[in-house]
Amino acid sequence: MNWHLHFLGTGAAHAVALGSSSAVLEHEGKPLLLIDCGPDTLDRYLAAYGEPPRNLYITHTHMDHVGGLERLFTRLWFNESLRGRTRVFTHAALVPWLQTRVADYPNVLAEGGVNYWEAFRLVPCSRGFWLDGWWFDVFPTRHHQPGTSFGLALQGSFAFTGDTRPIPEVLAHFAGGAEWIAHDCGLVGNPSHTGVDDLERDYDPALRARLLLYHYGSVSDGAALAARGYRIATTGERVALAAPPPPRPDAG
């Protein structure tokens, strides 16, 4: 089976030219799951696929990862064939934050009478979720405050950290095989993000060889990370993935 991770954007919040960090899991050339939806993500998704996403996973609620949800709401609400069909998967702990950040403004439409989530199918999860017969693991990351950011993994295929500090014990559990690991990394770390020196301190060489670094600060920062021997995800790139185990036909 043909699987790819298509990076729509790879930049940190200030790296506008690189696009908001987001990726699409593709199966047999078709989009299966969009991961995060920053301010410019919807435009990039529509340019690539010609229609809004049917499935979306949110790692956390910083605006460079959810700032496109208002426009996505409008796109879905005013098309009755799309309204209520896009599933939004996110950890249950993030639902209050997501509600506060994007859904709770009085009158989501100027005319009123519309509830934000009626445009979507919100699917809270904890350990993970089923999608088209495949089980996706959801795992906590380290992003300035516990319980505010969660990565995603598909056994045997890939893991996507979202914004995080190093999490070696978590990745050993959820991506302990040959999976590619899309990992937040800039040149210098901080309480919310990993720096390249953090990688070399906290991850062993075998795991570092499986990293796809994204969420960096500029093209030159990406080149500097590549010069350190790391594989850098670039905006628009499709990375080939190993196929996960066959789906369960009885799973939702």
Side-chain angles (χ1 to χ4, degrees), residues 1-8 23-35 44-45 48-49 134 136 154 157-158 236-244:
M1 290 185 290
N2 187 1
W3 292 82
H4 289 85
L5 195 61
H6 178 198
F7 286 88
L8 298 182
V24 179
L25 178 63
E26 297 179 341
H27 178 225
E28 302 294 355
K30 296 180 180 180
L32 178 63
L33 180 67
L34 171 63
I35 305 171
R44 294 173 184 268
Y45 190 98
Y49 304 108
W134 284 282
F136 288 80
L154 180 60
S157 189
F158 82 102
E237 180 181 9
R238 285 178 167 87
V239 177
L241 304 173

Side-chain angles (χ1 to χ4, degrees), residues 169-209:
E169 68 288 349
V170 175
L171 293 178
H173 181 75
F174 289 101
E179 299 92 341
W180 280 113
I181 301 170
H183 201 293
D184 169 13
C185 188
L187 288 182
V188 179
N190 60 39
S192 291
H193 301 281
T194 298
V196 65
D197 290 342
D198 299 320
L199 296 181
E200 293 167 2
R201 181 188 64 242
D202 291 335
Y203 293 140
D204 63 39
L207 189 144
R208 294 201 303 268

Side-chain angles (χ1 to χ4, degrees), residues 41-51:
T41 301
L42 181 58
D43 286 341
R44 294 173 184 268
Y45 190 98
L46 292 171
Y49 304 108
E51 63 179 7

Side-chain angles (χ1 to χ4, degrees), residues 21 44 46 80 83 90-91 95 98 103-104 110-111 115 125 137 161 163 171 179 184 199 212 215 227 234 239 247:
S21 285
R44 294 173 184 268
L46 292 171
E80 291 189 5
R83 187 186 300 171
T90 196
H91 195 282
V95 172
L98 195 57
D104 202 30
E111 299 82 3
N115 300 305
C125 59
D137 287 303
T161 66
D163 293 1
L171 293 178
E179 299 92 341
D184 169 13
L199 296 181
L212 291 166
H215 207 278
T234 58
V239 177

